[in-house]
Structure formats: structure tokens, C-alpha cells
């Protein structure tokens, strides 16, 4: 088994101390120098799992590594044939979603969407947060799909895979155009983000919410600015997210807070504080998701943990595995979001009690499907009569 395979499968976990794991990961040659990845979340950039060959950076004695440029954000145009993605997962409350972008500049180390970059022949590590794909045709494709005679209206979720309000949205404005299409069609939408940029679109979301067509969830992982900067390097600060909750709520838009992900021995002690702060800011709903470490996310997270919190490495990973049947991750429906076991039960119970005490989730406004007006725009065949 190669060192890369060992790292991916967790075989490089420490036998006695985190120092041993740190030394072995450094020895693989997979970790990228800090000057090249400054401001990024991942420390590794291993080859995609579908690639026939793997590449490892090592010093050949000519000091060529020092000449490698830092990772800069690159955006390519992706031209999909359809923009609405369908799913049948029983763990989530929607059956369709839109992702205006592939990859995410926020660089959250725990992002469960990182493995999707392997389908593009890229790494789930630094490539995921620096080599991005934009879908400028998304508004046009959406308009065409909504106009199909057999289209059945259900709420569309946006922000379920990568954040629609990541920094490149300032320039590309694809999310803004998608919302304009949905608003014109009176189509229900649910948005999830960890960016305060969502307040830019209050002028669209407020009238939609007044008709019962919009709901926004803001992810607040921690109130600790240092932890947030390390774990979510290019996302809005916790303070900005709470301010966004206030602005959106004041605009009459149903607003929820997502305490996601909850990481044992790292941010789980903040559950009550986050809920209390979000309620004060105006949130009326709340939910949580336990840390998920599918495929390449596991070695990326473990490497991040070793770099930033080596003293907690063994404790954090031990608790995670206690909630995942002894593994880093269990993808079984019904367990993957909340985990199992005593510690997972304790987290769930704490969350429920805090939410009940604060009056969260007392009412959950259902989005309307009965005011939809099919668009008659570009690419739509007009009636002959």
C-alpha cells in the first residue's frame, strides 16, 4: 500500500501520539508549503481518485519547489445541458437543487462536496477551492426547464453542494440572475449560505417571501473568529453572518440557522451559544448536521486537525469514530447526518433542549407551489394558438 493510499484510508493515524502522524504525513510529500496555500483551507492537493496516475511533490535537490507559484483562484466556464439536479435522499427535505458553481472558494476544510471535484479530474484539496467552474447559462437553462409542460413545481434548494454566494459571485452574479428567473415565475426557493452577500438580494427575496416563496438558512459553525478563519478561511466572519440573519429577518424573510457541522471536542461546546445568538439576531428555525468525512474529506480534515489542533487530534477522531461505528464516516441513510451512539444522542438532545428553550422551530412556514407561472422566455416554444 502506498503512503497516499494509507493516508486516504486512515492508516496513517497515530499509534501513540499526534506527532507520529504529523511526521508521517509530512513524509508523504503531499502537504503543500504554507506560502503556496496561504489563505486556503486544505493543506493537501492529492490527485483525484479516478486518475490513473498520482503525483507527489518532492524536493529533487534543485530547490525547484520554492519556484512554484501560489494557488490563485481560477474560474472556468462549465456548460451543462440542464441546471436542476434531482435527488431521492430520505435525509433531506427537498428533491431538487441548483448549483451555480462547482467548487467553492470559501475553502471550508470539512466540506462534504469536495470529492465531486474528482469527476473533473481535479483534487478535492486545494483544487476544489482554487479551480472553480461557473455556469453562466444557468438562468437560461432554468427558464427553459421551468417552461416544460411536464414540469411539476417543488421548492428548489440552492447552496446544498457549494455556496452560491462565494466570493466569485460578486463578479459573475449567476445566483442573482437565477433568483430573477425564479421570482418572475413565482417559484419557491430555499437558500443555504455562510456568506453575508445574501443580503444583496433582499430586494428579490423579500417580495418572494411575502408571497410565501422564499426561505433562507445561514450556516453558523462557530462564534470563535480564530477557529472560523482557520476552518472556513474565505467565508464571512461569524459576526457578519449574524448581522445577515438580522437583516434578512427584518426584511420579513423566514430565516433559519444551521449549526453545521458540529465537530466533537472542537465546536460542540458552542451549540447553545450559537443558537442563542442566532435567535437574538432574528432566526426562527434551527437545524444541525454532524461532521461528515466522506472519501477524500477524511484525510484532508485529519491533516488540517494535525496542523492546527494537534493536541486534540486523538480525542476528536476518537469521538467521531464513536459516532460512526468505529469508522471516519458512515454513509447509511438515517445516520449520516446525525450519527449514532451515546455522544451523538447527547449532541442531539442538547440541540433539541436549547432550541425548545429559545422558541425555535415552533412554526415552520411551508413554501407555496400554487402561484407558479411558467416562463415564456428564451428557448421556450410558444403556442401556435
Amino acid at each position: 500500500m502506498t503512503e497516499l493510499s494509507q493516508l486516504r484510508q486512515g492508516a496513517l493515524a497515530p499509534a501513540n501520539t499526534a506527532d507520529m502522524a504529523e511526521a508521517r504525513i509530512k513524509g508523504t510529500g503531499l502537504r503543500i508549503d504554507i506560502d503556496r496555500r496561504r489563505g486556503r483551507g486544505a493543506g493537501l492537493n492529492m490527485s483525484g481518485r479516478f486518475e490513473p496516475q498520482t503525483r507527489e511533490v518532492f524536493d529533487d535537490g534543485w530547490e525547484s519547489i520554492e519556484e512554484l507559484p501560489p494557488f490563485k483562484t481560477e474560474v472556468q466556464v462549465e456548460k451543462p445541458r440542464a441546471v436542476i439536479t434531482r435527488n431521492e435522499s430520505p435525509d433531506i427535505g427537498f428533491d431538487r437543487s441548483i448549483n451555480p458553481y462547482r467548487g467553492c472558494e470559501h475553502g471550508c476544510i470539512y466540506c462534504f462536496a469536495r470529492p465531486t471535484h474528482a469527476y473533473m479530474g481535479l483534487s478535492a484539496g486545494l483544487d476544489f477551492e482554487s479551480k472553480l467552474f461557473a455556469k453562466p447559462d444557468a438562468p437560461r437553462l432554468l427558464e427553459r426547464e421551468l417552461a416544460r409542460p411536464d414540469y411539476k413545481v417543488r421548492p428548489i434548494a440552492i447552496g446544498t453542494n457549494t455556496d452560491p454566494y462565494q466570493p466569485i459571485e460578486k463578479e459573475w452574479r449567476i445566483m442573482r440572475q437565477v433568483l430573477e428567473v425564479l421570482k418572475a415565475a413565482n417559484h419557491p426557493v430555499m437558500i443555504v449560505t455562510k456568506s453575508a452577500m445574501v443580503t444583496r438580494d433582499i430586494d428579490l427575496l423579500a417580495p418572494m417571501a411575502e408571497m410565501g416563496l422564499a426561505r433562507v438558512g445561514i450556516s453558523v459553525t462557530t462564534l470563535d473568529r480564530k477557529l472560523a478563519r482557520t476552518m472556513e478561511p474565505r467565508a464571512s466572519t461569524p459576526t457578519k453572518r449574524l448581522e445577515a440573519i438580522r437583516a434578512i429577518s427584518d426584511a420579513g424573510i423566514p430565516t433559519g440557522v444551521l449549526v453545521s457541522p458540529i465537530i466533537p471536542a472542537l465546536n460542540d461546546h458552542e451549540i447553545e451559544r450559537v443558537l442563542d445568538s442566532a435567535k437574538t439576531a432574528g432566526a426562527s428555525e434551527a437545524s444541525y448536521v454532524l461532521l461528515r468525512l466522506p472519501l477524500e474529506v477524511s484525510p484532508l480534515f485529519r491533516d488540517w486537525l494535525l496542523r492546527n489542533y494537534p493536541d486534540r487530534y486523538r480525542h476528536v477522531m476518537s469521538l467521531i469514530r464513536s459516532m460512526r461505528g468505529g469508522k471516519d464516516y458512515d454513509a447509511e441513510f438515517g445516520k449520516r447526518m446525525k450519527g449514532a451512539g451515546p455522544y451523538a444522542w447527547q449532541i442531539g438532545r442538547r440541540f433539541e433542549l436549547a432550541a425548545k428553550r429559545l422558541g425555535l422551530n415552533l412554526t415552520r412556514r411551508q413554501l407555496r407551489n400554487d402561484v407558479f407561472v411558467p416562463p415564456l422566455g428564451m428557448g421556450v416554444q410558444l403556442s401556435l394558438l
Side-chain angles (χ1 to χ4, degrees), residues 126-141:
L126 288 164
D127 283 349
F128 177 80
E129 50 194 281
S130 61
K131 295 183 178 180
L132 312 178
F133 296 82
K135 305 174 185 178
D137 289 341
R140 178 181 62 83
L141 293 172

Side-chain angles (χ1 to χ4, degrees), residues 26-222:
K26 283 184 177 180
T28 64
L30 296 171
R31 185 173 290 171
I32 305 299
D33 184 80
I34 189 171
D35 290 332
R36 292 194 63 211
R37 56 177 168 82
R38 192 174 301 280
R40 304 289 180 178
L44 309 176
N45 205 44
M46 58 275 206
S47 302
R49 65 184 181 279
F50 300 123
E51 301 308 295
Q53 298 176 331
T54 60
R55 294 183 175 89
E56 299 179 11
V57 177
F58 67 94
D59 193 340
D60 58 4
W62 294 89
E63 299 181 349
S64 56
I65 292 181
E66 297 180 2
E67 300 174 3
L68 294 174
F71 283 80
K72 295 183 179 180
T73 301
E74 303 173 5
V75 184
Q76 301 181 51
V77 171
E78 181 178 347
K79 292 186 173 292
R81 289 182 293 180
V83 72
I84 299 179
T85 302
R86 311 281 176 162
N87 75 81
E88 298 179 354
S89 171
D91 290 327
I92 50 181
F94 56 87
D95 67 352
R96 63 197 69 183
S97 61
I98 295 176
N99 291 291
Y101 304 99
R102 186 189 295 270
C104 188
E105 196 176 1
H106 282 161
C108 303
I109 191 60
Y110 52 74
C111 183
F112 65 87
R114 284 181 176 273
T116 61
H117 244 44
Y119 298 114
M120 310 301 288
L122 297 171
S123 172
L126 288 164
D127 283 349
F128 177 80
E129 50 194 281
S130 61
K131 295 183 178 180
L132 312 178
F133 296 82
K135 305 174 185 178
D137 289 341
R140 178 181 62 83
L141 293 172
L142 174 61
E143 189 176 44
R144 187 177 68 186
E145 291 180 57
L146 296 184
R148 291 181 56 175
D150 59 346
Y151 180 78
K152 297 186 183 302
V153 184
R154 297 285 189 280
I156 290 178
I158 308 180
T160 58
N161 208 40
T162 57
D163 203 309
Y165 289 105
Q166 58 181 289
I168 60 172
E169 166 66 12
K170 292 180 181 178
E171 175 184 355
W172 289 82
R173 297 176 68 84
I174 299 174
M175 177 59 178
R176 172 80 182 184
Q177 297 173 56
V178 166
L179 280 180
E180 288 173 344
V181 172
L182 294 174
K183 180 177 183 297
N186 290 341
H187 196 291
V189 63
M190 302 180 294
I191 298 172
V192 177
T193 182
K194 52 173 59 69
S195 173
M197 197 193 309
V198 65
T199 58
R200 178 201 65 185
D201 294 335
I202 284 179
D203 62 316
L204 297 175
L205 293 170
M208 292 181 72
E210 189 174 358
M211 294 180 64
L213 297 173
R215 188 164 66 227
V216 175
I218 305 291
S219 173
V220 182
T221 315
T222 176

